[in-house]
Amino acid sequence: MANNPPSLPRIAAFFGLIALFSSHHCHAFIPPIRTKTVRATSRSNALIPSTTTTTTRSRSRSHNHQSPIVIYTTANTEESSSTTTTTTTNHAPPTRSSLDKLEIVKLALKRPRGASIGVEYVAPSSSSSDDDDDDDNDDLTILSMQLRKQSKCAAIWTSDANSIGKFWKEQEGARGDFPGPVPVIYTGPMTDEGDVDADVDRIKGATAVVLEYNGRDDLDMESLSEFGIIWKVNSVEDLRELIDMEQSAGGVFLLSKNMLPKSTDEEDAAIIELREVLSTRPKSTVTIAPLATMQTENGEIKLGKHYASSLKISSLLLENACVGDDEDVPYSQYAIEEIGKKSSSSFSMTGLTGSTNGHFGVSSHGGEAKWRRNENK
């Protein structure tokens, strides 16, 4: 039997069903909306607030089943950023050459464990005759060698510009030897006349110079580019600022004595704050604490250990350790050895100055090491 063509009513009914189905179930062709959240980050610093970018991607199909249409809509919402203060200082930053020179100081002062120890040389008053100058040269050459080999100091610090070149010459001659040369650091003032070239000539040979943070603002950093810059800080706030600027500031900081505890028992809010700042500083940062020498009952030994263990100080500076007398090297050797010991210094024999008569430079059976220099004060 021949197939009869569909009648018009059947065709109309068929298309009517399609229209009805589409009107009630078209949502089945639309996939769910997808959202993607992208967090914008900044590598510079926390002063730029973070921004969250929300991207909404909705896909829909037209009713005639053509290719899907992709629609993007973007909304930005700012998130609150952590509170950050802008650091300002009177100083221009050290030059690249100066920062490179400072790396020598960092290598000398950082230790895997404990604190390194440097000594300060204070020039005695003397006449300016040529013969005396020759004697001074010989004395400083010997002292420089002994501090490196016998005392094993990490650095030589001095405010005497006339001594810088003599120390430097002897230390440079030790290149290739063991132990090798140690940094020579100038702690004295720069001249007020503004003749930077004259300042540089006076201290030529110094590995680094100490500058007061937030002190003089007329110093030309370009002229000081052959020296590393060690910043002396007088407050925890200054220290925190410099740590935040570590890369541009250099990362070697000398703490003033007013910031440090005077005894191992001192524990106030300022010390707690200092400990917190020091404990969270970058590992590459070097902090230096001055330490008064030849204290009663050898108090500097206990205090030096406390600075190293409790405050995590990187390096100690024995103030006035060398003054041009015959106890310069024995005392420096004694203090460096005793502070560096893990054990108690109570039962130790040093065999240093005066050990033959039992009075000076000896610490035995818990006794106090006595120094002739104190007897002469």
Side-chain angles (χ1 to χ4, degrees), residues 106-119:
K106 285 187 174 184
L107 288 173
L109 299 189
K110 286 187 70 67
R111 294 286 188 272
R113 292 181 299 274
S116 65
I117 305 175
V119 299

Side-chain angles (χ1 to χ4, degrees), residues 175-299:
R175 290 200 177 278
D177 295 345
F178 182 82
V182 301
V184 180
I185 301 170
Y186 177 66
T187 62
M190 309 300 280
T191 59
D192 295 328
E193 288 78 9
D195 189 352
V196 180
D197 291 336
D199 285 338
V200 171
D201 289 340
R202 286 187 317 118
I203 59 175
K204 191 171 289 293
T207 313
V209 298
V210 176
L211 297 181
E212 193 94 15
Y213 184 62
N214 285 331
R216 287 179 57 183
D217 59 358
D218 60 342
L219 294 173
D220 181 7
M221 289 299 177
E222 287 292 337
S223 299
L224 296 175
S225 60
E226 64 181 272
F227 311 108
I229 304 298
I230 298 174
W231 296 108
K232 182 179 180 181
V233 294
N234 295 297
S235 68
V236 175
E237 290 73 20
D238 285 350
L239 178 61
R240 186 181 285 111
E241 285 183 4
L242 282 166
I243 289 175
D244 290 341
M245 300 187 298
E246 183 203 3
Q247 289 186 346
S248 60
V252 182
F253 313 126
L254 174 64
L255 310 183
S256 63
K257 296 176 73 171
N258 69 297
M259 297 172 59
L260 297 164
K262 306 300 184 296
S263 69
T264 57
D265 299 328
E266 184 177 346
E267 188 78 7
D268 56 18
I271 301 302
I272 293 173
E273 184 182 12
L274 175 62
R275 181 181 291 109
E276 180 182 350
V277 172
L278 292 174
S279 65
T280 57
R281 73 182 191 272
K283 291 183 178 180
S284 58
T285 300
V286 174
T287 52
I288 306 148
L291 191 62
T293 52
M294 296 189 179
Q295 297 182 28
T296 304
E297 298 182 351
N298 310 128

